[in-house]
Amino acid sequence: MTEPRIGLGSLIAIARQGGWDASRWMHGSAQIAPCDPANDTGDMGTSNSSQPGKVWPAPSPIGRAPLPVLPWEPRFLPSVLADMVVSYADSIPMNREFPASNVLAACGSLLSDRVQLALKQHGPWFETSNSWGLNIAQVSAHKTPGMTPVRESLNRVEERYRQEYQTALAAYQANKIVYDAQLAAAKKNAAANNAVPPSLSPEPTPPVQRRAMTNNATPEALSVLAGGGPVVVLDDEASGLFSQMNDPKNQPGRAFYLAAYNGNSSFQTDRIGRGAVYIPRLCVSVIGNIQPEPLLRITLSAAREGRQADGFMQRFGLMTMPDTVHHTELVDLPYDMAKWTAGLDAIAGLVDYDPVRHGAVPSMLGDSLPYFRLSDAANALWREEYARQLVERDNLELIEAYRQHVMKQPKVIATVALVIHAVEGHHGDISGPVMERAIAASRFYLSHAKRVYHMSAHDICAEPARQIAARMSRGEITGEFTSREAQRSGWAGCDNAERTASVLDVLEDADWIRPVVVQSSVTGGRPPKRWQVNLLAQGSKW
């Protein structure tokens, strides 16, 4: 006798009459009796939760969770500068990182046309000390006061350059008068005697006024300023600089800045009207302030349009994004004027620094700079640190932009080592203790760079993750799904496999979903990655 056949719809109707909950089945539970969803383990058929027996936590709103950063230490600067920074910053109060990084960049700029560091014992690897700094913080975080020590010290240098220029200009004008008179007399005598005018000494050339800093200059104007020596671009609102550099119509300007970062190469431009401009050693440092949101908006826009692969962002080796200094009452502390004055004197005094007198190796290659070598102890520390940098560069689990940033750190190490060596008056090769301080400072700045790049990478996927979480909160997405299903269904941000994985990782970090381990089928092969929606997702804030 043939048994009666029951269709699927009838079977579901009978099961519902018996108390079966379809939504519970869709969430991965094979039990019929109702239970607390927070205690559901999600076991179902051939799939098992990666955390069996663990209760569901409440989903968290999706936002940026900044990575921890290393604390700033006074040993990252020469002692006289560290004393000034600590006294000044604590009197505001503000993050010590801001004035510390600015001071380091300013000192590096003043040294960058005087000496360089040899990072190889035999091969030609020389790094100059010009570095780029970027302080990232919200409005009213006292980023602007953090520029005051640099501004005042470089103003002293600018005043000295102006006085030297006026003296040189007066001498040039006097020599030019004498030259013009001699030339006129020679021409007159030659005409009277029907002879060729005799050759005179070379015509005097006008002096070039050196500049130590500028607040805002086009690349064309900056190329003229940099012709006299290293220049610091002091930009309190660096969002304008970033927007300008990311403008597709301003690629020559971007190329100029990229070349100016090297600090030890010549540069020549040829323009109709302006003619040829030749700079024997193009060297520009940048010190800027910016808020997180504009930086994120600009960098993400550039990333989407494929304009972020030339290392412009990675050149900001002295990048800081510290936790905000919180205070609940007025802080009215005096800062030590003696330390302040000593610090400014030390910075401005680098204009007169003579590296050869302090044991640097004189240049053997024409117009190249003298250089300091590494002692045996310093070289051992450097080789170990460079090997560690190569490991980070090749770690594919790290964000690509950060891995590129790591390989710019030799310049940061050179900057810190040269500034400490020069300001503290050390003689001869860079010592092991100085190199150890430089490496520690580099790791400090790398921790801040990792925070910045993590914020950028996270926020690329945060907005689409929020849109998916909103659908889960409304009950539009429930149960289990695969990464491939999310991509094929056109969920927000799930354009390809890589982006889909990143978006789902953000949702997992916020406890909106969790992975499900799926057993391989009898035919073998890797099973698709499955995810389970949090049973507490409906109605949760996203």
Side-chain angles (χ1 to χ4, degrees):
M1 178 177 179
T2 305
E3 295 183 359
R5 305 180 66 176
I6 303 176
L8 178 60
S10 301
L11 184 60
I12 292 176
I14 295 172
R16 282 175 172 167
Q17 292 176 3
W20 179 70
D21 185 354
S23 65
R24 294 280 296 121
W25 183 83
M26 288 296 294
H27 279 81
S29 173
Q31 302 176 10
I32 295 179
C35 65
D36 182 2
N39 292 320
D40 187 11
T41 63
D43 296 336
M44 169 184 159
T46 60
S47 65
N48 298 288
S49 170
S50 60
Q51 298 171 312
K54 182 179 179 181
V55 299
W56 276 107
S60 304
I62 297 173
R64 292 191 297 273
L67 295 179
V69 293
L70 295 175
W72 181 82
E73 300 178 42
R75 68 190 181 114
F76 298 160
L77 284 177
S79 55
V80 65
L81 300 182
D83 290 344
M84 176 187 69
V85 164
V86 170
S87 174
Y88 174 68
D90 292 355
S91 70
I92 298 296
M94 69 168 126
N95 293 93
R96 295 174 177 179
E97 290 87 342
F98 298 156
S101 300
N102 298 342
V103 163
L104 184 59
C107 290
S109 176
L110 294 176
L111 284 173
S112 60
D113 69 335
R114 311 196 71 80
V115 68
Q116 53 190 346
L117 181 63
L119 289 178
K120 284 186 176 181
Q121 298 293 80
H122 306 290
W125 184 0
F126 301 98
E127 289 287 353
T128 55
S129 57
N130 63 304
S131 285
W132 293 8
L134 185 66
N135 301 308
I136 307 167
Q138 297 289 355
V139 177
S140 302
H142 299 297
K143 300 186 297 296
T144 299
M147 288 187 167
T148 300
V150 167
R151 198 182 301 276
E152 291 206 13
S153 58
L154 293 184
N155 276 336
R156 291 188 182 188
V157 177
E158 287 262 305
E159 180 58 31
R160 173 174 171 171
Y161 287 164
R162 279 191 289 270
Q163 293 177 1
E164 292 177 349
Y165 173 73
Q166 292 299 328
T167 301
L169 181 62
Y172 160 74
Q173 291 173 339
N175 292 334
K176 187 68 166 62
I177 292 174
V178 173
Y179 177 85
D180 290 344
Q182 292 175 344
L183 181 61
K187 288 182 177 180
K188 183 177 180 180
N189 291 335
N193 299 320
N194 197 23
V196 178
S199 59
L200 300 177
S201 58
E203 182 179 358
T205 56
V208 177
Q209 182 174 356
R210 294 196 62 177
R211 293 290 301 275
M213 70 172 177
T214 181
N215 296 117
N216 189 8
T218 64
E220 292 78 13
L222 190 57
S223 66
V224 176
L225 298 181
V231 177
V232 175
V233 177
L234 205 60
D235 197 339
D236 192 25
E237 294 294 340
S239 57
L241 174 65
F242 275 87
S243 297
Q244 182 184 14
M245 293 300 102
N246 285 325
D247 186 351
K249 299 178 181 179
N250 189 42
Q251 292 312 296
R254 186 181 181 100
F256 173 84
Y257 269 90
L258 293 174
Y261 168 83
N262 297 329
N264 54 10
S265 302
S266 62
F267 190 84
Q268 180 166 342
T269 60
D270 296 278
R271 297 287 186 272
I272 297 176
R274 295 178 60 240
V277 176
Y278 176 74
I279 305 173
R281 184 178 291 108
L282 176 61
C283 183
V284 174
S285 299
V286 179
I287 302 176
N289 294 331
I290 196 170
Q291 299 167 34
E293 285 73 18
L295 176 65
L296 179 65
R297 184 174 62 251
I298 293 168
T299 54
L300 292 188
S301 173
R304 293 190 189 101
E305 297 174 21
R307 290 183 281 108
Q308 214 177 25
D310 57 6
F312 181 80
M313 184 71 177
Q314 284 75 12
R315 280 165 166 74
F316 287 91
L318 307 182
M319 182 190 300
T320 65
M321 188 179 178
D323 298 324
T324 304
V325 172
H326 293 287
H327 56 280
T328 57
E329 58 185 14
L330 176 67
V331 177
D332 188 11
L333 299 174
Y335 59 90
D336 193 319
M337 284 302 301
K339 294 179 179 178
W340 175 261
T341 302
L344 297 185
D345 290 343
I347 299 172
L350 290 175
V351 174
D352 296 318
Y353 181 69
D354 186 347
V356 177
R357 288 183 55 190
H358 287 80
V361 179
S363 170
M364 298 294 183
L365 300 174
D367 62 349
S368 63
L369 298 174
Y371 60 90
F372 283 111
R373 297 170 61 89
L374 300 178
S375 67
D376 290 340
N379 187 55
L381 290 171
W382 159 239
R383 291 176 70 91
E384 180 181 350
E385 179 64 13
Y386 187 66
R388 191 189 70 85
Q389 292 176 1
L390 293 177
V391 171
E392 280 204 291
R393 178 200 65 183
D394 297 334
N395 185 354
L396 299 182
E397 294 183 358
L398 297 174
I399 297 171
E400 182 179 359
Y402 171 75
R403 291 190 285 117
Q404 297 170 358
H405 192 101
V406 169
M407 298 316 297
K408 297 293 184 183
Q409 287 305 290
K411 194 174 190 68
V412 173
I413 292 176
T415 297
V416 178
L418 287 172
V419 169
I420 292 176
H421 192 82
V423 175
E424 293 187 351
H426 298 292
H427 191 276
D429 296 342
I430 302 295
S431 67
V434 169
M435 176 56 68
E436 189 275 330
R437 292 162 67 183
I439 290 173
S442 170
R443 293 183 180 181
F444 159 78
Y445 286 110
L446 272 179
S447 72
H448 284 259
K450 183 177 287 187
R451 168 180 280 191
V452 172
Y453 292 121
H454 178 268
M455 176 193 72
S456 299
H458 188 279
D459 275 29
I460 291 175
C461 305
E463 181 55 34
R466 277 190 286 266
Q467 296 180 31
I468 297 173
R471 296 181 60 190
M472 293 177 178
S473 179
R474 295 192 297 265
E476 298 174 8
I477 300 176
T478 59
E480 293 186 7
F481 62 91
T482 65
S483 301
R484 187 177 302 172
E485 289 170 349
Q487 182 179 343
R488 287 179 174 176
S489 300
W491 291 5
C494 299
D495 306 327
N496 53 54
E498 182 179 0
R499 283 289 303 275
T500 300
S502 299
V503 171
L504 297 181
D505 284 344
V506 174
L507 289 167
E508 182 187 7
D509 290 342
D511 294 317
W512 285 85
I513 59 175
R514 66 184 178 195
V516 175
V517 177
V518 181
Q519 299 176 359
S520 300
S521 64
V522 293
T523 59
R526 187 174 64 178
K529 189 168 185 178
R530 297 189 66 85
W531 301 88
Q532 185 181 28
V533 178
N534 191 331
L535 302 181
L536 303 177
Q538 293 190 31
S540 296
K541 292 184 62 177
W542 44 270

